[in-house]
Amino acid sequence: MKILVVDDSKLARLTLIKTLKEHEPSADIIEAENGDIAVELYKAKSPCVVFLDLTMPVMDGYEALKLIMEINPRAQVVVVSADIQMQAQALVLALGAKLMVPKPINSDKMLAVLQQLVF
Amino acid sequence: MQNNEFSSDHLDVLKELMNIAMGNATANIADLLQAFGTMHIPHLQISDVDGLKNYIKMTISSEDEYYVTKQLFGGKIGGEFIFLVNKESAINLGNYLYDTVKVSDADIMDAVIELTNILSSTTIGRLTDELNTKVQFFAPYTEVVSGDPLISEEETLNYHKIIIISTVLEFQKHKISGQIFILSRDEMIISLRELIDQKLEELYS
Ligand SMILES: [Mg+2]
């Protein structure tokens, strides 16, 4: 199962991958450090899930989400963000994200996310 | 330079924790202002006094008048939290919070201090929570300055090596935006690094 993890912070990617591996040890993980790279990797590798940060340089998560949803309207994108405002959540859900989870991610949050995804 | 004792990994961790802390602070201020705050990527650098002066020059306009609120915090890590708003933003903030179009200078000052208090306690509170430590806050004070004398000459005497964390708070609906600076110096850098190392150890274990 291919999973794309997008965050400009190495710490955030490590934390996410660690919790992900606890539940899905065999996951095949691809990493990107900004939205631009994420969109390219999405096109090239067609991962079944994308974990996407919002505040990133070069291309932010909102823009990347739009482009990924254009490439595949059924893409499963989980936004993982420090922005916990209701409006941010409403916006990413309107753009097609499947879920939004507040940072920092932990094992329980990851389990709840994985249970709502289709593999 | 001894910058190498604070590696790019340490900076990355601090930047991400600041991002999380700002998410909390922005949500709190969003409740206060009934508006959506745009989140910005925090900027982090380790610098000397000249570097700090240059950074401030680059970030703020020397023509505007600013309300500067400073609050010291101390504990295992410590430093100074500085919130800077230009006069226009401060007036907009006062107008909104007092629900009038003509606020007094004292009311503006009061509004700025209130906002800074929420900002510093949520930002530093969250940052220290994530680092498994605690700090104490000292009373904030506000002054109006013009141009870039954000840090006075006598204050800079205390600074040799400084961690600068800075970011923007922005609420477009009310035309309120401000700049946050968190400065931590010298001996604090070592304890901060220890806390970050513990955090990284947990992660790699
Ligand atoms: Mg980020």
Side-chain angles (χ1 to χ4, degrees), chain A residues 7-8 53 55-56 103, chain B residues 16 19:
Chain A
D7 203 303
D8 56 325
D53 178 31
T55 43
M56 289 183 291
K103 274 184 177 180
Chain B
E16 180 60 9
N19 180 39

Side-chain angles (χ1 to χ4, degrees), chain B residues 101-148:
Chain B
V101 285
K102 230 181 161 197
V103 280
S104 69
D105 285 350
D107 286 349
I108 295 174
M109 202 77 120
D110 192 59
V112 169
I113 291 187
E114 172 65 9
L115 189 76
T116 310
N117 251 325
I118 298 175
L119 268 179
S120 63
S121 57
T122 42
T123 312
I124 303 290
R126 187 62 199 256
L127 209 51
T128 48
D129 265 3
E130 289 291 330
L131 289 168
N132 299 313
T133 188
K134 271 198 179 68
V135 292
Q136 256 190 318
F137 288 97
F138 297 90
Y141 66 97
T142 301
E143 56 184 344
V144 182
V145 300
S146 46
D148 56 26

Side-chain angles (χ1 to χ4, degrees), chain A residues 3 6 12 16 22 25 31 33-34 37 40 50 52 58 63 78 90 92 97-98 102-103:
Chain A
I3 296 180
V6 191
L16 197 142
E22 284 171 22
E31 295 180 54
E33 59 185 46
N34 65 52
I37 298 172
E40 288 312 309
V50 182
L52 183 65
V58 188
E63 193 59 32
V78 179
V92 297
K98 189 138 188 178
K103 274 184 177 180

Side-chain angles (χ1 to χ4, degrees), chain A residues 7-12 14-15 18 53 55-57 62 81-85 87-88 103-104, chain B residues 9 12-13 16-17 19-20 23-24 26-27 30 35-37 39 41 126 130 202-205:
Chain A
D7 203 303
D8 56 325
S9 163
K10 190 174 155 192
L11 170 75
L14 272 172
T15 313
K18 191 186 176 195
D53 178 31
T55 43
M56 289 183 291
Y62 292 105
S81 174
D83 195 338
I84 50 173
Q85 299 173 92
Q87 278 195 53
K103 274 184 177 180
Chain B
D9 274 0
D12 172 75
V13 170
E16 180 60 9
L17 297 184
N19 180 39
I20 292 172
N24 274 56
T26 306
F36 178 67
M39 285 198 61
I41 302 173
R126 187 62 199 256
E130 289 291 330
E202 275 168 38
L203 194 66
Y204 284 109
S205 69

